Amino acid sequence: MSLHDEFVTLDYGSGGQKTAALIDELLRPALADPLLDALGDGAILPPDAGGSLAFSTDSFVVNPLFFPGGDIGKLAVCGTVNDLAMCGAVPQYLSLALILEEGLPFATLRKIIASLAETARAVGVRVVTGDTKVVERGRGDGVYINTAGVGRVRWPGLTPNAIRPGDKLLVSGPVGDHGTAVMLARNELGVQAGLQRGEMLLSDCAPLHQLADAACRAGGVRVLRDATRGGLATTLNEFAEGHTFGICLTESAIPIRPAVAAACELLGLDPLYCANEGRMICAAAPNTADAVLAALRATPGGEGAAIIGEVNTTYPGRVTLRNAYGANRILSKLAGAQLPRIC
Amino acid sequence: MSLHDEFVTLDYGSGGQKTAALIDELLRPALADPLLDALGDGAILPPDAGGSLAFSTDSFVVNPLFFPGGDIGKLAVCGTVNDLAMCGAVPQYLSLALILEEGLPFATLRKIIASLAETARAVGVRVVTGDTKVVERGRGDGVYINTAGVGRVRWPGLTPNAIRPGDKLLVSGPVGDHGTAVMLARNELGVQAGLQRGEMLLSDCAPLHQLADAACRAGGVRVLRDATRGGLATTLNEFAEGHTFGICLTESAIPIRPAVAAACELLGLDPLYCANEGRMICAAAPNTADAVLAALRATPGGEGAAIIGEVNTTYPGRVTLRNAYGANRILSKLAGAQLPRIC
């Protein structure tokens, strides 16, 4: 049996010969892992020393499949790796579940899997088990990917409940890049050309495990979170809601690229609500916040890190934004779907 | 924020207020687990004693969402629980990732999640982390579900490599029920009415963890596998291929319900290639096979277990079927998609 078709057909989801060809000729060579090669109903992970595990899952339905700075394969690794890293865990193992639409070119699938495998290798996370389904044309959109991940917890106790008044809020770099880049890549609004005269907009899609580790080593970290769907504002609301503290941000301290600000203005978006796929939010103790900032800035991908606000009790449960004139406005959670199919 | 819409809209995948309402008002109450309630980027699993973990994933795209004997929610738990059980593991934790199509009635989603939660409770497996995405109308088909699972290995070393000539092959009950029931539920071929005069056809969708445990306690088990897509014949080919042994089945010993046989004849299907979702295949040592059979028959869901063949070296790497006249024919892997979207 050989993978000589140009497009995915329903037969590749049958569980029979064509599924085997897809696994043996496309997936296994790209992912190259002896645990995956065992091809049982699941992977048996090597024995370990015990302790707490982190376990996470994410599905990826981004449209388009390829965008400046990334693609759905890279995103599918980064998304789950980052969820594990935000749990204080070392990302170790991923599962990979594909829902393919009938008619998908195999060339597209190969590119996506190559990108996914390259990202996994760079992180040092192993793809050890998987599943492939095929749905009829018009019942999917090329490729949907789910990854689940398992990792050993190195930094226990990271939770919004650990946040205290006086703590500082940090972000590992400029916000809004991913959402804006994907939106422009869709080119639905015809603003691409005008923006490309200026700075090229790239997604921030990247693994955050090294930044998470660097921050935790600096000490005093209360909680980590990657600001994906809903953006910075929604993530911070998840920290504050139901608590006796509030979060006060300084507008001028929040890093936003000029090109992102310009694109958001054209598109009618707010960069504080735009999805990020490689930006970490961190709450840290007042006496370690500068050390955490220095650690982030010294780590690749954290050069643009900043302290953007602090925790106080002025507006309990709320996130507020103080502008250059000292006026505060409330940032609530994202209300609707600002940007569907962004990740 | 309250979940007062009748249908899923793109807003429910935004990561903002509506996503939170869906989680807080529909998913969390149904799944009721403190680890899920922590709602971090992933779940932190309680510390354990170490050893090997099994890790597995499956996506479910079955059409229709509800079928006699089950639904996509029950299937999504059983599928991954069974993959873990076939690894010799105790199923402990599941992730739940939903890809919802815009326009899905919330009433449908509630029914599916209730069924999923009930099945998980019955098995004793905990849904501890999740993700929800929403795609535009015409980019999905109601609901696609991915579950990944983690469990501690209790019975290590189960692998087709452990099979030896002389071993017996067992199946835990009649084959072909799930595929045939789903196919009839689609009612595409108009044969439903005629069959319903006779025996009602139900999917065999069920958790297999107790049967797996019972078989392993009896001793001498080489490998376990649930015969899902591709059916009994494809699963046995996965055991035999590349090995110096072959598998010889006795046609008259393979349990097939009369109604399944009749439906398959009408539909032009072969029950040996029809998907099962609650049937376990087991290879066991010659001196323990009878004890394994007795253990299966004494366990709920295994009443119809049978010894269906043996391992020999006559046709290395092949699966053969011996009919009542002593003639052998080769059963190869499923070639095409006999039944798309069956699980």
Side-chain angles (χ1 to χ4, degrees):
Chain A
M1 195 71 205
S2 183
L3 202 68
H4 49 68
D5 291 323
E6 198 177 339
F7 302 98
V8 172
T9 63
L10 289 170
D11 289 349
Y12 287 92
S14 68
Q17 290 177 14
K18 293 231 172 185
T19 307
L22 171 63
I23 293 168
D24 290 343
E25 295 173 38
L26 198 159
L27 296 171
R28 280 173 56 189
L31 298 166
D33 194 293
L35 286 179
L36 185 65
D37 286 344
L39 286 181
D41 278 327
I44 306 293
L45 309 181
D48 62 36
S52 295
L53 283 176
F55 179 34
S56 186
T57 189
D58 251 326
S59 296
F60 300 88
V61 299
V62 66
N63 168 21
L65 298 172
F66 300 86
F67 48 83
D71 58 75
I72 193 172
K74 181 182 180 187
L75 193 61
V77 171
C78 292
T80 294
V81 158
N82 291 349
D83 283 346
L84 293 172
M86 298 305 103
C87 293
V90 181
Q92 294 174 289
Y93 303 104
L94 292 184
S95 63
L96 169 63
L98 304 170
I99 298 179
L100 309 179
E101 186 190 12
E102 181 188 16
L104 175 75
F106 272 110
T108 305
L109 183 59
R110 278 186 200 280
K111 270 179 71 177
I112 290 167
I113 298 298
S115 169
L116 184 149
E118 185 191 328
T119 310
R121 268 192 295 275
V123 171
V125 71
R126 300 171 64 177
V127 179
V128 294
T129 190
D131 178 59
T132 304
K133 295 290 189 297
V134 181
V135 295
E136 302 91 335
R137 206 180 289 264
R139 299 294 186 183
D141 198 6
V143 193
Y144 296 149
I145 300 182
N146 176 280
T147 52
V150 170
R152 188 58 61 188
V153 175
R154 176 180 287 172
W155 304 102
L158 302 175
T159 159
N161 299 330
I163 297 176
R164 297 286 172 270
D167 285 353
K168 304 292 184 187
L169 273 301
L170 296 93
V171 65
S172 66
V175 297
D177 294 11
H178 177 75
T180 317
V182 170
M183 198 65 179
L184 288 178
R186 287 189 201 157
N187 207 13
E188 285 166 359
L189 302 171
V191 296
Q192 183 75 14
L195 275 160
Q196 279 183 344
R197 276 180 234 137
E199 189 183 343
M200 177 66 177
L201 263 179
L202 296 180
S203 164
D204 53 283
C205 178
L208 289 169
H209 61 302
Q210 290 175 329
L211 284 166
D213 205 52
C216 290
R217 281 178 196 280
V221 170
R222 315 297 201 189
V223 64
L224 300 173
R225 201 64 62 91
D226 58 335
T228 56
R229 282 181 295 175
L232 177 72
T234 302
T235 302
L236 291 176
N237 268 282
E238 289 168 4
F239 287 177
E241 67 184 4
H243 285 105
T244 54
F245 61 79
I247 291 171
C248 180
L249 300 178
T250 304
E251 189 168 29
S252 60
I254 301 172
I256 300 171
R257 294 186 200 283
V260 170
C264 281
E265 201 164 313
L266 275 168
L267 297 169
L269 302 176
D270 184 336
L272 301 184
Y273 290 91
C274 278
N276 309 278
E277 289 294 341
R279 294 291 176 248
M280 184 174 82
I281 315 295
C282 170
N287 61 333
T288 64
D290 287 336
V292 172
L293 179 65
L296 291 178
R297 287 185 172 168
T299 304
E303 299 82 356
I307 294 177
I308 58 171
E310 63 174 13
V311 178
N312 60 34
T313 55
T314 315
Y315 301 98
R318 294 291 197 172
V319 179
T320 54
L321 185 71
R322 182 186 299 264
N323 70 13
Y325 308 101
N328 287 303
R329 71 177 171 100
I330 287 174
L331 292 181
S332 55
K333 272 192 183 180
L334 179 63
Q338 192 181 1
L339 301 164
R341 305 275 306 277
I342 213 72
C343 59
Chain B
M1 195 69 204
S2 183
L3 201 67
H4 49 68
D5 292 321
E6 196 177 341
F7 301 98
V8 172
T9 64
L10 289 170
D11 289 349
Y12 286 92
S14 68
Q17 290 177 14
K18 292 230 171 186
T19 306
L22 171 62
I23 293 168
D24 291 343
E25 296 173 38
L26 198 159
L27 296 171
R28 280 174 56 190
L31 297 167
D33 195 294
L35 287 178
L36 184 65
D37 287 345
L39 285 182
D41 278 327
I44 306 293
L45 309 182
D48 62 38
S52 295
L53 282 177
F55 179 34
S56 186
T57 189
D58 251 326
S59 295
F60 300 88
V61 298
V62 67
N63 168 23
L65 298 172
F66 300 86
F67 47 83
D71 57 74
I72 192 171
K74 181 181 180 186
L75 194 61
V77 171
C78 292
T80 294
V81 159
N82 291 351
D83 284 346
L84 294 172
M86 298 305 103
C87 293
V90 180
Q92 294 173 289
Y93 303 104
L94 293 184
S95 62
L96 170 63
L98 303 170
I99 299 179
L100 309 178
E101 186 189 12
E102 181 187 16
L104 175 75
F106 272 110
T108 304
L109 183 59
R110 279 186 201 279
K111 270 180 70 177
I112 290 167
I113 298 298
S115 170
L116 184 149
E118 186 192 327
T119 310
R121 266 193 296 275
V123 171
V125 70
R126 300 172 62 177
V127 179
V128 294
T129 189
D131 177 59
T132 304
K133 296 289 191 295
V134 181
V135 295
E136 302 91 335
R137 206 181 290 262
R139 299 295 187 181
D141 197 6
V143 193
Y144 297 149
I145 301 183
N146 177 281
T147 52
V150 170
R152 187 58 60 187
V153 175
R154 176 180 288 172
W155 304 101
L158 301 175
T159 159
N161 299 330
I163 296 176
R164 297 287 172 268
D167 285 354
K168 303 292 184 187
L169 273 301
L170 296 94
V171 64
S172 66
V175 298
D177 294 12
H178 177 76
T180 317
V182 170
M183 197 66 179
L184 289 177
R186 287 189 202 158
N187 207 13
E188 284 167 0
L189 302 171
V191 294
Q192 183 75 14
L195 276 159
Q196 279 185 343
R197 277 181 234 137
E199 190 185 341
M200 178 65 180
L201 263 180
L202 296 179
S203 164
D204 53 282
C205 178
L208 289 169
H209 60 304
Q210 290 175 327
L211 284 167
D213 205 52
C216 290
R217 281 179 196 280
V221 169
R222 315 296 200 189
V223 63
L224 300 173
R225 201 64 64 88
D226 58 335
T228 56
R229 281 182 296 175
L232 176 73
T234 302
T235 302
L236 291 177
N237 268 282
E238 289 167 5
F239 287 177
E241 67 184 3
H243 285 103
T244 54
F245 61 79
I247 291 172
C248 180
L249 300 178
T250 304
E251 190 167 28
S252 59
I254 302 172
I256 300 172
R257 293 186 201 284
V260 169
C264 280
E265 203 165 312
L266 274 167
L267 297 169
L269 302 176
D270 184 337
L272 302 184
Y273 290 91
C274 278
N276 308 278
E277 289 294 341
R279 294 290 177 247
M280 184 175 82
I281 315 296
C282 169
N287 61 331
T288 64
D290 287 336
V292 172
L293 178 65
L296 291 177
R297 287 187 171 167
T299 304
E303 298 82 358
I307 294 178
I308 58 171
E310 63 173 13
V311 177
N312 59 36
T313 54
T314 316
Y315 301 99
R318 294 291 197 171
V319 179
T320 55
L321 185 71
R322 182 187 299 264
N323 70 13
Y325 309 101
N328 287 303
R329 71 176 172 100
I330 287 175
L331 292 181
S332 54
K333 272 192 181 178
L334 180 63
Q338 192 178 242
L339 301 164
R341 306 274 306 277
I342 213 72
C343 60

